[in-house]
Amino acid sequence: MATTLAFDVYGTLINTHGVLTLLDDMIGNNAQVFSNTWREKQLEYSFRRGLMQNYVPFSLCTKHALDYACLAHKTELSEDQKEQLLERYKTLPAFDDVKAGLESLKAQGYRLFAFSNGAANAVNTLLETADISDLFEGVISADDIKTFKPNPDVYSHFLREANSTGANTWLISSNPFDVTGAISHGMRAAWIKRSDEAIFDPWEIQPTTIATDLLDLKEKLKSVN
């Protein structure tokens, strides 16, 4: 059976800071710090919703996190500006290595799936905009079961939908919480460490392998498979 690769989307394939140009036009030098807060709160809100079992779509977590960032940084954005930012979030760019990396992995016979907290229609739009949608067998979303990663039910859902097993499946993610969630559920996982400054949680659970990008991932998977 071919090995299955489950690719996280936001932050792994798609650059969530792709809104920076628009943010810079709106708020100037504070754009990077504002963007960091927005992303951190987006994830926090999904975690809290999952624990509370009070589900809303990931897109609403994104909207609420944007409102929080405005409050935290005392930044007044009009409703029109907020809508522009949320629209830009629907068509964020892929990282430069992604298309070539995915093509290489697919050529080696891996089964590729997009695996996201985002709703399938939002993920499909991102993949189509980045011109990488045809490289995946499918999109599997936590939205299908109305919760979020790292809830173990989400990883079980992926394995069922992909018709794969934990031992034969790799989670590929830049997000440490996702890597630890997958490994805790019996999968292997590669952490994509896109920055030297990125820190992995100092838990007893560590990545099966670490790669700097998807091109490096191809070589790392060769050494552990």
Side-chain angles (χ1 to χ4, degrees):
M1 175 186 279
T3 299
T4 299
L5 304 183
F7 287 89
D8 174 61
V9 176
Y10 293 94
T12 302
L13 302 179
I14 301 298
N15 186 354
T16 55
H17 294 300
V19 295
L20 275 175
T21 301
L22 184 56
L23 266 175
D24 190 60
D25 290 341
M26 292 179 180
I27 64 176
N29 294 336
N30 203 35
Q32 183 66 68
V33 175
F34 186 99
S35 182
N36 290 344
T37 299
W38 185 7
R39 172 61 172 165
E40 288 164 5
K41 276 293 173 179
Q42 177 199 50
L43 292 175
E44 180 191 328
Y45 286 172
S46 70
F47 298 156
R48 287 164 59 180
R49 289 283 185 176
L51 285 169
M52 292 162 58
Q53 298 181 9
N54 183 2
Y55 181 79
V56 298
F58 194 62
S59 58
L60 188 53
C61 294
T62 303
K63 180 181 184 301
H64 288 165
L66 174 58
D67 291 337
Y68 177 92
C70 289
L71 294 170
H73 295 286
K74 297 180 173 56
T75 301
E76 291 188 11
L77 294 176
S78 68
E79 290 305 312
D80 181 63
Q81 286 176 313
K82 289 181 181 179
E83 188 58 35
Q84 288 181 54
L85 289 167
L86 292 170
E87 282 298 311
R88 180 66 58 88
Y89 216 88
K90 296 177 182 178
T91 56
L92 292 168
F95 290 102
D96 291 343
D97 59 283
V98 165
K99 187 170 185 179
L102 291 172
E103 288 174 341
S104 179
L105 290 163
K106 189 175 180 69
Q108 289 191 348
Y110 291 105
R111 302 175 67 216
L112 311 186
F113 289 85
F115 178 40
S116 179
N117 277 335
N121 60 347
V123 172
N124 277 314
T125 297
L126 287 170
L127 301 182
E128 288 165 6
T129 301
D131 193 28
I132 54 175
S133 60
D134 61 336
L135 297 171
F136 295 97
E137 282 193 33
V139 172
I140 300 175
S141 170
D143 181 66
D144 299 336
I145 60 171
K146 305 305 182 214
T147 188
F148 295 109
K149 296 186 280 183
N151 185 324
D153 290 346
V154 181
Y155 303 100
S156 291
H157 174 64
F158 177 88
L159 295 174
R160 286 194 302 271
E161 292 297 303
N163 192 26
S164 190
T165 64
N168 197 50
T169 302
W170 283 79
L171 183 282
I172 314 298
S173 181
S174 293
N175 297 302
F177 76 86
D178 201 6
V179 170
T180 54
I183 292 174
S184 181
H185 197 64
M187 299 163 66
R188 290 182 288 179
W191 181 38
I192 307 301
K193 185 180 180 181
R194 292 192 170 278
S195 166
D196 289 339
E197 298 170 358
I199 298 171
F200 200 88
D201 300 299
W203 289 19
E204 75 282 5
I205 302 171
Q206 292 294 298
T208 315
T209 193
I210 299 173
T212 56
D213 58 26
L214 297 198
L215 296 169
D216 183 39
L217 175 68
K218 178 185 72 171
E219 301 306 316
K220 294 298 172 60
L221 290 178
K222 282 181 184 177
S223 68
V224 293
N225 271 330

